[in-house]
Structure formats: C-alpha cells, structure tokens
Amino acid sequence: MKARRGPKVLSPLREHLRDTMWFAPTAGLVGSLVLWAVAAELDAQIVAALQDAGDYDEIKNLMGIADDAKAVISTIGSAMMTFIGVVFSISLVAVQMASGQFSPRVVRLYVRSRITKITLTVFMATFLFSLMTLTSFDSERDPKLLTSVPLIEAVLAMLMVLLSLLLFVAYVNGTIRMMRIGFVIDRIARESFRAAAKQPVDLPVDTERLGPETARVTHHGRAGVLRDVNIARAVRAARRQGVVLRLIPRIGDFVVPGTPVFTVHGGAAPSRHALGYTVSVGVERTFHQDLGFGLRQLSDIALRALSPAVNDPTTAVQALDRIVQFLASIAPYPLGALGHRDRRGALRLVQSVPDWTALVDLGFAEIRGCALGNPQVIRRMLAGLDDLLLLAPEERRAPLLRHRGLLTQAVERSVPEAADRAFALLPDRQGIG
C-alpha cells in the first residue's frame, strides 16, 4: 500500500475556537468598526476635496442622496436585529432536534457549522455598521461648514445587507440539510474515512518484542478524553533517549492525572520537558486520530432510532449502510499496535488503535441486541455481514461469523412462527425494500 502522511498535530486553540460561537462574531464586529472608520474617513476627504474646489452644488447633491439613504439605513438597523433573532432561534431548534432525534454526539456538527457562524457574523457586523453610519449624518446644512456626507458608508451598508440576504438563504438551506438524517450520517462517514486514511500503513507491531518495561510516564495534565498524540514530538523524545515508547491509552480513552500514559522500553524515561505537550486531552472525543469515533456515532444514531420512543428502523438501516461501508474500507488496513519510526527507520513509538474485532463489535454488537422485533434491521445486518465476509481477509472473518451466528440464534429463539423467522433471516441490503 502507498504510504500516507500522518495526521497533523491537533491545535487546542483551534479546536476551542471551532467549538465556540463568540470568536467569529467578535471578529466580525471589530472588522465592522474598522471598515466604518475607513469609509467615514473617505467620506470626509471627499467633502473636504469638494469644499477646496468650491463645488458646493455637488455637495448639496450628495447631501440629498444621503438624506434619502438615511431612512434606508435606519430600516436596516432595525431589521437586522430581527434577522439575528431568527438565526439564533433556528440554530437552537436545530441543535435541540439533532440531540433528541440523532445523538448528542452529532451536536458538534451544528456548533462547528461554518455557514451558521458566517451568517451570524455578517448579520451582527451589518447591524453595527448601520448604527455607526447613522452617527455620521451631520445636522449641518451649510455646504461650507459640512464635515462629512456618509455616501460611501451608505453604499457599503446596502452591500452588506445584500450579502446578509444571500447568506440567510444559504444558512436556511444548510440548516435544513443538517436536519436530514441522511446528510448527518454521510458527514459522519466522510470524517471517519478521513481519520482512517491517516492511519499508518506499516504492519502491526508485536509488543512482546519490545523488551521489558523499564519506566513509565504518567499524565500530569487535567482529566479528560485523550484527543491527540503529538507523534513527531514523542518520536523525537524517544530517539534522543534511545528508547521505545508505547502509548497505553487509546485515542478516545478518558485519562485522569497520575495514570500512566507511556511505558518506556530500553532505558530511562525522557524528561517531562521533552514529552511536554505530547498528549492533548479535552472534554469530548474528536475525529482526529480517533478511528472508532465515527462508528460510535453511527451506532448511537441506530440505537436511538430503535428505541421505543423513536421507533424508526429505517434510520437504523441507513446507519448500518455506513457502518458496513466503513468496515469494508478498513478491512485490509493494519490495526492493533501500530508503530511510528524515526528517520533512520528505528521503531520509537507504539500506538494502540482498535483492532478489527473491536471495530466490528462497536459497529454491530449493540445494534444486534436491539434489532430483535425489527426484521428490516435484521435483514440489513445479515446482508452487511455477508458483504463483509466477502471483502474481509480470511483471518478477519471470525468476528463477522460470530455476530451472524448470534443474530441468527436470537431470531430463532424470539420469533415463534417459522414463516416470520424465514422472512427475518433473509439478507436484504435495503432491509425491506
């Protein structure tokens, strides 16, 4: 297989800004003030140039145009607050529906939505720009004493309103798309594929050959979910010390201060300074280096759909479609304990990722337990397992056969009628069409 570049280092600051709603609007307000200051200065220079030239008739014409624009600017200022309220309300409803119908884990799609942040930013910037433009209107009517006619400001305010209207259409369209389960599932699947594409392609490392453990490195930061390992920094620290590091927790595990994160093989542990900022923890999992997070979300969506409160087996089938697709894509990948080497080819870091059995269990175990009584889901799961049995290497078929056998046994025990059992155990990629 062709070598692929590893994942970039996760930036805590970038992740924090992407998970917040204040940064983009604040930057937009500051930019709006700067734009208004520049436009106001240009308007003042235009008036000053006309006064120096003695062209007072042209100044009067500009004053008439500005008086007509003043009413429009006032309307813009009041209307933008209404638009801001609409955007905020739609966002809250979309987040509430996504959390209740799909999974709380998919709320991050809405929080990180660029179109939502851009729309809110432009709306607030337009509102502030309109207010500042109103302050630029001079009550002086004598062209010789006039200091400014906000003509450029008025034109910019109208252009910003036009941009706001276009963004509002795009925002509504984007929000409606994000409320569709098909779009949400497809987005999760695409992010999962990107995470899988960044996995190392070397053969799994036999941890028994690392030699005896000589030291351990504990976690001294805050408690949280392990989201990222700075592979390059860890490899450099291990190379300088002449040792091999093995990462104990997997990406997505919850770690607390004092728990070991690295075992050291072949010598003394690198200093805390050398391993500083090697691991990054946060309040929730991300797709960065986390191979199982996509399956976790897809499984959650299917479980929520199969709950008695929702009872939507078709959504569970859609989630199973992507689960099968993801497992099929990583079936030939090396999994388990993956090694990272320095420039000389020496093994320096061993990182544990979910193996094939763990990923298959994550994708099917919980759904299989809730699928009884839903022949549509059972038939789709059987078809998916059969497809994976054809695509997976011979050594990876055992967990697939185990899930297929357990599902078949569960249906035979729970469905009394022979005709219903035969119908439920018939593989169908669409469930029941």
Side-chain angles (χ1 to χ4, degrees), residues 78-372:
S78 59
M80 292 315 300
M81 283 304 297
T82 302
F83 270 105
I84 293 172
V86 170
V87 171
F88 190 71
S89 300
I90 293 176
S91 299
L92 287 181
V93 171
V95 169
Q96 185 178 12
M97 291 184 62
S99 178
Q101 294 187 2
F102 305 150
S103 167
R105 258 66 60 190
V106 305
V107 172
R108 61 187 299 275
L109 297 178
Y110 297 84
V111 175
R112 294 184 170 214
S113 172
R114 293 179 180 176
I115 186 62
T116 300
K117 294 180 180 179
I118 293 174
T119 303
L120 187 60
T121 298
V122 173
F123 279 16
M124 296 185 68
T126 303
F127 173 70
L128 180 60
F129 190 90
S130 301
L131 293 183
M132 300 306 297
T133 301
L134 288 175
T135 64
S136 299
F137 285 92
D138 198 335
S139 59
E140 179 61 53
R141 308 308 299 173
D142 188 350
K144 298 181 180 180
L145 302 178
L146 193 67
T147 58
S148 177
V149 177
L151 186 63
I152 296 179
E153 298 168 67
V155 172
L156 287 176
M158 295 179 185
L159 291 177
M160 292 178 70
V161 170
L162 178 61
L163 177 61
S164 299
L165 293 176
L166 294 176
L167 282 175
F168 183 72
V169 174
Y171 166 75
V172 172
N173 178 69
T175 302
I176 291 175
R177 287 182 63 196
M178 287 191 295
M179 294 174 68
R180 293 162 48 195
I181 185 60
F183 173 82
V184 173
I185 291 177
D186 178 70
R187 179 74 174 272
I188 294 171
R190 284 188 283 112
E191 293 193 10
S192 299
F193 295 144
R194 283 196 290 266
K198 296 175 182 178
Q199 294 295 314
V201 296
D202 294 338
L203 293 176
V205 176
D206 185 0
T207 56
E208 298 296 331
R209 297 184 179 181
L210 296 179
E213 176 185 324
T214 57
R216 286 195 171 193
V217 179
T218 58
H219 176 57
H220 296 282
R222 62 173 182 170
V225 176
L226 181 62
R227 302 190 303 177
D228 172 66
V229 177
N230 191 328
I231 296 173
R233 180 184 289 270
V235 169
R236 285 197 302 267
R239 177 178 55 83
R240 291 169 183 169
Q241 198 70 15
V243 297
V244 178
L245 299 175
R246 182 174 67 87
L247 182 67
I248 299 175
R250 294 189 313 202
I251 301 297
D253 288 355
F254 192 87
V255 295
V256 298
T259 57
V261 273
F262 290 106
T263 60
V264 184
H265 302 264
S271 64
R272 289 184 59 184
H273 175 73
L275 289 176
Y277 304 102
T278 302
V279 298
S280 172
V281 300
V283 296
E284 62 181 358
R285 297 169 68 175
T286 69
F287 279 99
H288 189 78
Q289 296 188 6
D290 196 339
L291 194 59
F293 187 43
L295 286 178
R296 178 69 275 164
Q297 292 186 77
L298 293 172
S299 180
D300 286 347
I301 292 174
L303 293 174
R304 183 67 61 91
L306 293 175
S307 66
V310 178
N311 193 22
D312 184 12
T314 303
T315 294
V317 168
Q318 289 181 274
L320 279 171
D321 292 339
R322 297 300 184 172
I323 290 174
V324 173
Q325 180 189 8
F326 178 74
L327 291 175
S329 68
I330 65 171
Y333 282 18
L335 300 170
L338 303 182
H340 301 276
R341 302 178 183 274
D342 60 18
R343 294 180 180 178
R344 296 181 179 179
L347 180 65
R348 294 302 180 188
L349 174 65
V350 178
Q351 179 184 6
S352 296
V353 299
D355 59 17
W356 174 252
T357 300
L359 292 174
V360 171
D361 291 341
L362 179 57
F364 291 116
E366 295 174 299
I367 302 176
R368 175 173 53 79
C370 297
L372 298 180

Side-chain angles (χ1 to χ4, degrees), residues 36-88:
W36 169 79
V38 173
E41 181 63 24
L42 291 176
D43 284 330
Q45 290 181 4
I46 291 174
V47 172
L50 292 175
Q51 288 174 341
D52 293 340
D55 195 353
Y56 298 112
D57 291 336
E58 184 64 26
I59 295 178
K60 289 181 179 180
N61 293 333
L62 294 179
M63 291 173 60
I65 296 174
D67 290 339
D68 295 335
K70 185 175 182 180
V72 178
I73 301 300
S74 300
T75 304
I76 291 173
S78 59
M80 292 315 300
M81 283 304 297
T82 302
F83 270 105
I84 293 172
V86 170
V87 171
F88 190 71

